[in-house]
């Protein structure tokens, strides 16, 4: 009896201590880093030269870490490629790689730097975390030897991975993630044989991690939220902005809202490649964001987040739209290209009204009212339902209200950064065939609209107030992951090929004429 009472007392004490040590909120930091690039070379540099480049970047990251810690941050995220840059071949990146062990080895590199060979970068990151009592998320390269017993072993006898690492506030390695979905120019790296679902627990919530291009695919991104039930996603990225729908702050904040999760996105700052856009996003609204194409400076962001975001109602993305009667518009529809995809568009000719446009199984419904109908600006409602096949293959359903580049309807879908038309109200919905829909609102000068819109449980993206700035786009960006493998019909491929051919001809024509 005494032993039973003692065990109960210990259990209650443990529960109380656990509750007392857990935090309801935490301070998150992300750093948009102006990366220092090595000289481009096809011949590998010496390990000493590689380390010199990495230490120059780590010097800058150290300043951000120290500043974040002094401001009370619990965790800081730094960008993909932030320590060694980019433009590598498989051979030229090798001197920059280290052997990164499985976190289960229980290792603090700062205390025992030589346990897994020469690991100066991991040692420095570990000491930075330990000395500043902060979690650090960084992106480096991992190398793993293999031999002929492994039928998938590369010819050079090693795997090379684009790798995220996390060190806790005591300097311990607590997470290692190998990027699954490599972008087109990442030939220097291998993808892991199976997607890695990487999580770790803290006193301020459960975290998951993935990298850049991973966000457009189901694994591991959706799995981390749906199955692992993480509270916060950590997202190192080297994101090149593509308007109108895939600018960094626009899409990453939309993913946080669509997946109902905190999202910490740290981008490289390299305007020459259109790389900028970092943020701290809660499920209901951005807490802090940064977009800067004009300067060469890095930027540290901090914001407070809930450790465990409050549950929000599950959205039925087709509920409202399926009950809307589509009115005939005769032959007023026209086609336009957005990032090589052929959209069906309808011009918004009045200052306000209700419009519907359809493509295949997707019908998009819009109610809106502009502050004024300007003669020098044209807006259109567009729909796309198909397989995107450029720089990756993924199936999309998109409803979008957007500003056309000029008053020529052929420019609807072109990249636009400024506008003059504000909207008194808008409500956008669609007959989506997926539960994975990401709501975007982007204002002039590439700005977000925190607190100005909401998503209803029946699938409407609607304004809460007149927009604070002129509108570039209001979009529902849907992903049908199960259709990624192949187009529905041969005609889909033919259409995509024809669109690409026309775009290439237009580009060549513009260059020579």
């Amino acid at each position: 009896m005494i032993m039973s009472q003692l065990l109960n007392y210990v259990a209650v004490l443990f529960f109380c201590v656990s509750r007392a040590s857990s935090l309801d909120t935490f301070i998150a930091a992300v750093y948009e880093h102006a990366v220092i690039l090595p000289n481009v070379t096809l011949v590998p540099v010496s390990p000493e030269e590689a380390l010199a480049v990495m230490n120059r970047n780590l010097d800058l990251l150290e300043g951000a870490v120290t500043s974040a810690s002094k401001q009370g941050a619990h965790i800081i995220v730094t960008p993909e490629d932030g320590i060694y840059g980019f433009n590598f071949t498989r051979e030229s990146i090798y001197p920059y790689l280290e052997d990164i062990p499985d976190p289960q080895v229980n290792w603090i590199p700062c205390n025992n730097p030589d346990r897994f060979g020469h690991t100066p970068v991991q040692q420095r990151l570990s000491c930075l975390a330990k000395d500043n009592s902060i979690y650090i998320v960084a992106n480096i390269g991992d190398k793993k030897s293999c031999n002929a017993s492994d039928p998938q072993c590369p010819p050079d006898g090693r795997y090379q991975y684009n790798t995220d690492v996390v060190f806790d506030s005591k300097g311990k390695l607590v997470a290692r993630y190998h990027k699954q979905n490599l972008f087109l120019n990442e030939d220097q790296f291998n993808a892991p044989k199976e997607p890695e679902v990487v999580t770790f627990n803290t006193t301020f919530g459960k975290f998951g991690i993935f990298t850049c291009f991973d966000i457009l695919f189901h694994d591991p991104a959706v799995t981390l939220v749906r199955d692992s039930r993480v509270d916060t996603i950590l997202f190192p990225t080297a994101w090149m902005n593509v308007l109108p729908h895939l600018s960094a702050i626009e899409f990453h904040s939309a993913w946080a809202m669509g997946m109902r999760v905190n999202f910490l996105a740290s981008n490289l700052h390299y305007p020459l490649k259109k790389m900028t856009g970092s943020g701290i996003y809660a499920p209901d609204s951005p807490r802090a964001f940064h977009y800067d194409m004009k300067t060469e400076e890095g930027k540290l962001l901090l914001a407070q987040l809930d450790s465990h975001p409050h549950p929000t109602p599950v959205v039925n993305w087709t509920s409202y739209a399926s009950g809307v009667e589509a009115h005939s518009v005769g032959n007023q529809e026209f086609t336009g290209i957005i990032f090589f995809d052929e959209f069906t568009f309808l011009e918004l000719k009045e200052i306000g009204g209700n419009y519907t446009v359809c493509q295949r199984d997707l019908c998009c419904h819009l109610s809106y009212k502009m502050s004024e109908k300007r003669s020098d600006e044209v807006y259109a409602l567009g729909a796309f339902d198909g397989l995107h096949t450029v720089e990756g293959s993924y199936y999309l359903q998109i409803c979008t209200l957007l500003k056309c580049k000029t008053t020529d309807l052929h420019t609807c879908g072109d990249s636009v950064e400024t506008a003059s038309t504000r909207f008194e109200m808008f409500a956008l919905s669609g007959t989506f065939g997926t539960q994975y829909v990401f709501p975007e609102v982007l204002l002039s000068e590439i700005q977000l609209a925190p607190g100005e819109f909401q998503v209803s449980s029946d699938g409407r993206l609607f304004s809460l107030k007149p927009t604070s700035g002129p509108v570039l786009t209001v979009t529902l960006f849907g992903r049908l992951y199960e259709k990624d493998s192949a187009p529905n019909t041969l005609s889909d491929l033919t259409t995509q090929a024809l669109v690409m051919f026309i775009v290439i001809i237009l580009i060549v024509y513009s260059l020579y004429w």
Side-chain angles (χ1 to χ4, degrees):
M1 175 67 71
I2 294 176
M3 181 59 69
S4 175
Q5 290 176 334
L6 181 61
L7 290 174
N8 288 336
Y9 173 77
V10 170
V12 170
L13 180 63
F14 178 78
F15 175 77
C16 292
V17 170
S18 298
R19 288 295 299 272
S21 62
S22 64
L23 300 174
D24 292 330
T25 63
F26 69 102
I27 303 297
V30 302
Y31 181 55
E32 180 160 310
H33 171 49
V35 63
I36 299 170
L37 299 178
N39 295 326
V40 178
T41 175
L42 298 178
V43 179
V45 300
S46 68
E48 292 76 18
E49 290 175 286
L51 183 57
V53 171
M54 291 190 285
N55 274 326
R56 290 179 67 194
N57 280 300
L58 283 165
D59 289 343
L60 295 175
L61 296 179
E62 180 175 348
V65 169
T66 303
S67 178
S69 175
K70 288 179 178 178
Q71 296 178 69
H74 296 85
I75 188 168
I76 182 171
V77 185
T78 63
E80 180 185 26
D81 299 336
I83 291 176
Y84 46 63
F86 43 84
N87 293 328
F88 291 103
T89 65
R90 183 171 179 84
E91 293 73 26
S92 67
I93 201 172
Y94 184 70
Y96 296 83
L97 308 181
E98 294 184 0
D99 186 356
I100 306 171
D102 189 310
Q104 292 183 356
V105 299
N106 192 24
W107 181 41
I108 299 177
C110 189
N111 297 348
N112 190 1
D114 300 321
R115 181 179 171 189
F116 296 97
H118 188 57
T119 56
V121 174
Q122 292 173 82
Q123 178 188 358
R124 186 165 180 187
L125 289 169
S126 170
C127 291
L128 267 177
K130 179 182 177 182
D131 293 345
N132 291 280
S133 299
I134 190 173
Y135 279 73
I136 294 179
V137 183
N139 177 264
I140 55 179
D142 189 11
K143 59 182 179 181
K144 291 288 179 283
S145 298
C146 57
N147 55 44
S149 64
D150 178 359
Q152 298 181 43
C153 181
D156 55 14
R158 62 180 182 266
Y159 290 101
Q160 300 181 172
Y161 298 111
N162 179 332
T163 309
D164 298 329
V165 291
V166 183
F167 295 92
D168 71 10
S169 56
K170 296 180 180 179
K172 179 182 174 182
L173 178 68
V174 294
R176 179 195 68 184
Y177 169 70
H178 295 140
K179 185 178 180 181
Q180 178 66 34
N181 300 286
L182 300 172
F183 198 57
L184 299 184
N185 59 351
E186 289 191 272
D187 296 334
Q188 69 271 35
F189 292 122
N190 302 103
K193 296 175 183 178
E194 296 292 336
E196 299 175 355
V197 179
V198 175
T199 67
F200 61 96
N201 290 294
T202 73
T203 58
F204 46 96
K206 184 176 182 180
F207 287 76
I209 189 166
F210 56 83
T211 312
C212 203
F213 202 40
D214 284 328
I215 196 173
L216 284 169
F217 300 93
H218 187 277
D219 294 322
V222 173
T223 301
L224 279 168
V225 180
R226 187 192 64 188
D227 299 336
S228 297
R229 305 287 183 179
V230 298
D231 300 302
T232 301
I233 291 292
L234 307 170
F235 186 67
T237 185
W239 191 278
M240 292 178 285
N241 292 294
V242 179
L243 292 169
H245 299 142
L246 288 172
S247 67
I249 60 172
E250 171 189 29
F251 188 66
H252 303 159
S253 60
W255 203 91
M257 179 173 280
M259 297 302 294
R260 302 184 295 280
V261 67
N262 292 330
F263 196 88
L264 310 185
S266 171
N267 199 3
L268 281 183
H269 188 77
Y270 198 76
L272 286 176
K273 284 188 173 287
K274 296 185 178 180
M275 291 179 176
T276 183
S278 301
I280 299 171
Y281 309 113
D284 60 339
S285 184
R287 295 293 187 263
F289 63 92
H290 175 70
Y291 179 94
D292 171 24
M293 285 287 290
K294 298 177 181 178
T295 76
E296 303 298 324
E297 303 298 321
K299 180 71 173 180
L300 177 66
L301 301 176
L302 292 98
Q304 181 173 290
L305 290 171
D306 291 330
S307 299
H308 310 283
H310 301 296
T312 55
V314 175
V315 177
N316 182 336
W317 284 104
T318 195
S319 177
Y320 178 83
S322 61
V324 177
E325 182 179 352
H327 300 286
S328 174
V329 293
N331 60 355
Q332 298 177 37
E333 294 178 349
F334 62 97
T335 58
I337 305 299
I338 299 180
F339 197 27
F340 300 97
D341 296 325
E342 187 179 85
F343 278 64
T344 301
F345 281 113
L346 193 61
E347 181 185 357
L348 307 186
K349 294 184 176 181
E350 306 297 332
I351 193 171
N354 301 293
Y355 285 79
T356 297
V357 66
C358 301
Q359 187 181 104
R360 292 191 176 94
D361 296 329
L362 177 67
C363 283
C364 303
H365 306 295
L366 173 70
S367 298
Y368 74 96
K369 183 180 180 182
M370 301 174 183
S371 297
E372 61 174 327
K373 182 70 176 76
R374 297 174 59 99
S375 60
D376 60 345
E377 289 193 331
V378 168
Y379 283 80
L381 174 65
F384 177 74
D385 182 359
L387 186 72
H388 176 85
T389 59
V390 177
E391 295 183 352
S393 177
Y394 40 90
Y395 200 99
L396 302 173
Q397 285 187 329
I398 297 176
C399 292
T400 184
L401 155 67
L402 54 75
K403 182 205 168 190
C404 304
K405 188 171 185 178
T406 71
T407 55
D408 184 345
L409 296 183
H410 292 97
T411 68
C412 295
D414 290 356
S415 177
V416 181
E417 296 187 2
T418 60
S420 299
T421 301
R422 299 170 187 257
F423 280 68
E424 293 292 320
M425 63 80 60
F426 59 78
L428 181 65
S429 62
T431 56
F432 291 95
T434 177
Q435 61 178 307
Y436 300 109
V437 179
F438 310 114
E440 303 178 342
V441 176
L442 192 65
L443 304 181
S444 184
E445 305 287 352
I446 319 300
Q447 295 296 305
L448 300 181
E452 296 183 24
F453 64 93
Q454 189 173 307
V455 172
S456 61
S457 59
D458 61 2
R460 284 173 293 157
L461 167 58
F462 63 94
S463 56
L464 295 172
K465 61 181 76 172
T467 60
S468 60
V471 170
L472 291 179
T473 179
V474 175
T475 300
L476 291 171
F477 189 103
R479 280 287 284 115
L480 280 73
Y481 301 106
E482 68 276 11
K483 289 189 173 185
D484 284 356
S485 57
N488 287 339
T489 64
L490 182 61
S491 63
D492 285 336
L493 280 176
T494 304
T495 300
Q496 294 279 352
L498 180 60
V499 169
M500 288 182 64
F501 176 75
I502 293 171
V503 170
I504 291 170
I505 292 297
L506 290 173
I507 291 173
V508 172
Y509 181 84
S510 65
L511 288 175
Y512 287 95
W513 297 95

